[in-house]
Each structure stands twice: as C-alpha cells, then as structure tokens.
Amino acid sequence: MGRRMTMGRRAKREKERPRPEAKKKKKKKKKGGGGGGAGGNVKLFKIPAQDNSCFVLLGDWKEREDSRQNETFSIPVAEQYPGQDFPMGELQEYIGDNAFRTTSAEKREMERLMSYEYEKVRKAAECHRQVRRYVQSYMRPGLTMTDIVQR
C-alpha cells in the first residue's frame, strides 16, 4: 500500500525548503488619466452652439469648449474614450425604503458586479447623445426621406 501524506505534513515540508528570493513585479503605469477627464492623447475640440428653434419643444445645444468629438462628428466613441471612462451622468442616492442598498454589503457587491453592464450603458448613452446632436444639426422639417438618407 502506498503512503498518503496529509496536508499538514506537506505544508510542513514546503515550509522547511529554502526558497529563492522572488522578484517583485513592477506595477505598470496607466496611460492617460482616468475619471472622465481628458487625459493623455485625447484631443479636445470646440463645437459651436446649435439652433433648434425649428423643432417644437426642443432646446438649443450650447457651445462646448471641451468636446472630445469634432465638428464633423467623425471620431468614433471608442477613440474618444480610450480608457473606457465614459461620463457618469447624474448619480442619485437611494432614499426611503431603498436606502438599505447603500448600507448592505450584499447589495453593494451586487452593484460592483453590475459595473461592467453600467459601463456598456454609459457608452450607449454617449453614442446616443452624439448621434442625436449630429442628426439635429442637419435634419429640418420639410426634408424628404431621400435627402435625409443621402446625407
């Protein structure tokens, strides 16, 4: 019959063996800044104000000095946010009966696990904002569908 070692003996033997000094790994520095600011190699553009008075119940777009998109809307969203640091938007605290979500460790962990899904939604929201602004820049009442599609 073969002899079986228990975990206790095996751990003891591992402890007794001399180990060579392990080299510490150097941490890689992140390229560009994070946190929504324009850092690193992201170029900023100035987008002029846009008049939407021809549309009912639609406000005008204000001028932006620090836009990551250019005037012709030709830069893909993935290139505008290389670190996947899309704008957070407005964050609301839980109130009333849902306040336990900020104090419960289980709920906080669930929120952390959903962060990947939230990033995808933030990217979609940024794409939607830019497409809406671009379309509103040339679409006007009275244009035929052919004119709109050929643009």
Side-chain angles (χ1 to χ4, degrees):
M1 266 169 84
R3 190 171 161 199
R4 294 176 78 184
M5 275 198 239
T6 63
M7 284 300 286
R9 285 185 186 169
R10 194 175 296 158
K12 233 181 199 180
R13 283 191 183 168
E14 290 292 324
K15 230 182 198 183
E16 292 170 2
R17 281 189 212 158
R19 290 186 178 171
E21 288 294 319
K23 292 182 179 179
K24 291 185 179 180
K25 291 184 178 181
K26 292 183 179 179
K27 291 184 179 180
K28 293 182 180 179
K29 292 184 178 180
K30 292 181 180 179
K31 292 183 179 179
N41 55 1
V42 177
K43 189 173 179 184
L44 298 178
F45 298 93
K46 179 181 176 182
I47 295 183
Q50 181 176 310
D51 178 32
N52 288 331
S53 59
C54 63
F55 298 114
V56 177
L57 300 175
L58 187 62
D60 296 339
W61 288 96
K62 297 177 183 172
E63 181 177 337
R64 288 200 56 192
E65 298 282 336
D66 59 346
S67 176
R68 293 182 180 204
Q69 184 61 272
N70 61 10
E71 246 182 280
T72 60
F73 293 89
S74 61
I75 302 173
V77 173
E79 289 178 20
Q80 294 174 37
Y81 298 94
Q84 301 294 314
D85 56 342
F86 300 103
M88 292 284 283
E90 183 178 350
L91 297 178
Q92 297 283 327
E93 291 294 324
Y94 290 109
I95 56 172
D97 294 339
N98 284 328
F100 74 95
R101 291 180 169 272
T102 56
T103 57
S104 170
E106 183 180 346
K107 294 295 181 183
R108 282 196 313 264
E109 182 65 16
M110 285 175 60
E111 289 279 328
R112 189 189 66 77
L113 292 173
M114 290 296 294
S115 65
Y116 176 71
E117 299 296 322
Y118 294 153
E119 285 300 316
K120 291 194 304 188
V121 171
R122 286 185 187 110
K123 181 178 182 179
E126 184 60 28
C127 291
H128 176 260
R129 255 190 301 274
Q130 292 184 16
V131 167
R132 193 177 73 229
R133 184 167 185 158
Y134 174 66
V135 169
Q136 288 174 3
S137 71
Y138 70 86
M139 190 179 287
R140 297 288 177 237
L143 279 177
T144 64
M145 188 60 85
T146 309
D147 294 336
I148 294 169
V149 173
Q150 287 179 348
R151 172 99 182 188

